[in-house]
Amino acid sequence: MKSVQRIDGTIEVRESERPIPGPNQALLRMSTSGVCHSDLHLARGDWKFATGNGPLGHEGIGVVEALGPGAEECVSIGDRVILGLGGTGGEHWCGRCRYCIAGEPRHCANSVGIIGTFAEYFTVWAPSLVVLPDSVSDLEAPLACGGLTAYGAVKKLTQHGIIPGSTVAIVGAAGGLGHYAVQLAAAFGYRVIAIDVGDDRLAFATELGAEVAIEANDARQRVANEFGGVDAAIVFTANIAGYQLGFDLLGKKSLFIAVGLPATSQGPFEVDPFLLFYKDPTIIFSAVGTVQDMRELVDLAARGIVKTHVSRTGGLEELPTIFDELEASAYLGRAVITITD
């Protein structure tokens, strides 16, 4: 089978052995795989904890082709499914440790990250799969991480006391994750303030449901003048400048949700202790979500409440070019790799 491999810093399509599903695993014939910004960081070696050679890709939709022992309790051969845990959520959790019991399986010491969906076949832990209705197309593959991560972040608003009707700044609103969050937050009744760069991206965010869309360079002054600071800021852009901007936009007793993960070389962002005292914010990180979150998200997609904006499609061989385009912010929304019909 064909699979994409990172070899000594280059991206190659190679012939690989078709995997065999083990206990509680399903073998998927992959239909599509989304191109996440995390894939780009892994391909470039941007993160100090993720270097070396190996497969790429963690968002995917496919058809169940074979089952390992025990997997038949979760899915059936012929089911069209989406991966339901996101990349760092893992393809397995123990279900016994304090993190799993508390509903935070991504912290499970036994979890195994999902990697390798840029391939014709892929094996995955069957309990993490969600069966798709016909109304959700194969081009919705980015829901498997990008959509799930945005949904998990938006759900944390109410968990931390930010109720519908509150002002929420979404930094990186037109990007692969941010464009989901704009749709979701608007649908849930929040006043969405979209922050991005360029007229086309601002217009796109407005079309998705943002109440107002503001150029990043103007955001500090306009948000202060028009809103007196925001009740929450969700930072999807994977750069430190976005982190700094998101914190600066906060009002009093607000919530800062970090989502994008910048390259290690960019270093930390600064928090002025006096502003920390004055604003008294809650600062958290939000990564991916749970299988139940994915079930809810699939239902929202089936009902037309959230939709992936796909600006670029291509085959496995086009992935290096798509990575270059993603790095240059050459398109809105997401890119999707089409693997099989």
Side-chain angles (χ1 to χ4, degrees):
M1 70 167 192
K2 292 181 179 179
S3 69
V4 170
Q5 301 287 324
R6 179 174 181 261
I7 307 294
D8 297 329
T10 63
I11 306 303
E12 300 179 12
V13 178
R14 292 194 167 190
E15 287 294 327
S16 307
E17 291 291 326
R18 182 185 299 191
I20 298 173
N24 297 308
Q25 285 189 328
L27 173 68
L28 305 186
R29 177 170 49 83
M30 299 303 297
S31 303
T32 53
S33 183
V35 182
C36 182
H37 216 103
S38 298
D39 297 316
L40 174 63
H41 283 308
L42 290 171
R44 300 290 195 254
D46 288 339
W47 294 333
K48 63 182 179 181
F49 58 83
T51 58
N53 300 334
L56 289 171
H58 59 275
E59 299 177 334
I61 288 174
V63 176
V64 177
E65 186 137 309
L67 297 172
E72 68 279 356
E73 296 181 8
C74 304
V75 291
S76 301
I77 292 175
D79 283 347
R80 192 170 65 98
V81 295
I82 187 168
L83 278 61
L85 277 177
T88 57
E91 62 177 33
H92 168 80
W93 71 85
C94 71
R96 299 182 300 273
C97 70
R98 66 189 181 98
Y99 298 112
C100 288
I101 292 171
E104 296 287 348
R106 81 177 185 93
H107 294 303
C108 175
N110 299 304
S111 67
V112 179
I114 291 174
I115 193 76
T117 60
F118 295 143
E120 292 179 316
Y121 290 89
F122 182 67
T123 53
V124 65
W125 194 48
S128 70
L129 297 171
V130 176
V131 178
L132 289 173
D134 292 340
S135 57
V136 177
S137 82
D138 286 348
L139 291 179
E140 294 290 347
L143 290 176
C145 177
L148 182 62
T149 300
Y151 183 56
V154 171
K155 284 185 70 172
K156 287 181 173 62
L157 293 171
T158 53
Q159 293 171 11
H160 290 271
I162 307 300
I163 61 174
S166 304
T167 52
V168 178
I170 296 179
V171 182
L177 277 70
H179 88 286
Y180 291 118
V182 171
Q183 297 174 70
L184 291 164
F188 295 165
Y190 292 98
R191 300 180 63 191
V192 176
I193 302 169
I195 311 296
D196 218 305
V197 178
D199 291 342
D200 58 336
R201 302 179 78 81
L202 299 179
F204 176 53
T206 302
E207 292 171 3
L208 294 173
E211 179 176 323
V212 61
I214 303 175
E215 180 75 29
N217 290 334
D218 302 328
R220 289 177 176 85
Q221 184 174 355
R222 283 196 57 186
V223 168
N225 293 342
E226 298 175 23
F227 300 95
V230 296
D231 298 307
I234 311 178
V235 178
F236 290 99
T237 183
N239 62 65
I240 288 299
Y243 271 59
Q244 197 66 60
L245 175 58
F247 183 84
D248 292 346
L249 298 179
L250 296 175
K252 294 181 179 180
K253 294 300 295 181
S254 49
L255 174 66
F256 178 94
I257 304 177
V259 182
L261 196 58
T264 303
S265 60
Q266 293 192 24
F269 80 111
E270 297 181 356
V271 176
D272 184 325
F274 180 81
L275 290 178
L276 192 62
F277 155 75
Y278 177 74
K279 295 184 177 185
D280 193 17
T282 297
I283 301 175
I284 65 171
F285 197 97
S286 181
V288 296
T290 67
V291 176
Q292 178 57 31
D293 289 334
M294 177 54 76
R295 295 187 183 113
E296 295 168 8
L297 184 60
V298 166
D299 179 67
L300 291 170
R303 293 158 54 195
I305 293 173
V306 63
K307 182 175 178 61
T308 303
H309 182 89
V310 180
S311 293
R312 178 74 156 89
T313 60
L316 292 172
E317 293 79 5
E318 295 179 68
L319 188 59
T321 300
I322 291 175
F323 276 153
D324 291 341
E325 294 168 352
L326 177 59
E327 193 168 35
S329 300
Y331 51 79
L332 303 170
R334 297 301 299 260
V336 174
I337 298 297
T338 55
I339 302 171
T340 59
D341 293 335

